[in-house]
Amino acid sequence: MTAVPNPKSRSTNSPRAAAGRELIILTRVSADAGMRRFIEQQLQPVVRRLGFRTAEFAWSRYTRWLAGAKGMELAERRLIPPLGHFSLVRFRKTDMAAAA
């Protein structure tokens, strides 16, 4: 999500793309606050030239998207070692959760 040209369009179309399945994302999730957030914002001009928008993708952005996504729920969020800068995030359609 942090490297696609139009992340808002991608996230809007994600439930449709999941087509009755889970949506699994391995992505770099930035901090919502604190020193890590400050450092990410300072590095943003450099990483932006590489095509990344990491500082724009704090976990709060995913929760706002999920609040407006009809029929989707968070199935799992797992920090990936060693530093937890990446997260494995699983969303699933709520009708799948009811069937499980």
Side-chain angles (χ1 to χ4, degrees):
M1 298 299 248
T2 61
V4 297
N6 189 339
K8 185 173 182 174
S9 173
R10 174 72 61 179
S11 61
T12 301
N13 291 317
S14 293
R16 188 170 44 96
R21 298 182 175 90
E22 291 186 340
L23 176 63
I24 302 171
I25 303 170
L26 178 64
T27 190
R28 168 72 176 83
V29 178
S30 68
D32 279 307
M35 181 57 81
R36 187 171 137 207
R37 178 72 176 165
F38 174 77
I39 293 168
E40 290 166 345
Q41 288 176 329
Q42 297 306 306
L43 291 174
Q44 188 60 31
V46 175
V47 298
R48 185 115 165 116
R49 283 185 253 153
L50 299 172
F52 296 102
R53 292 190 271 297
T54 303
E56 296 176 26
F57 284 87
W59 182 247
S60 57
R61 182 169 182 163
Y62 289 96
T63 58
R64 282 192 310 271
W65 171 79
L66 188 58
K70 295 180 181 173
M72 297 293 285
E73 68 179 2
L74 177 66
E76 177 182 9
R77 178 186 179 201
R78 182 182 338 157
L79 299 178
I80 303 298
L83 301 173
H85 289 303
F86 286 85
S87 292
L88 175 79
V89 183
R90 289 177 40 232
F91 298 106
R92 68 176 163 214
K93 291 196 172 187
T94 52
D95 58 342
M96 282 186 65

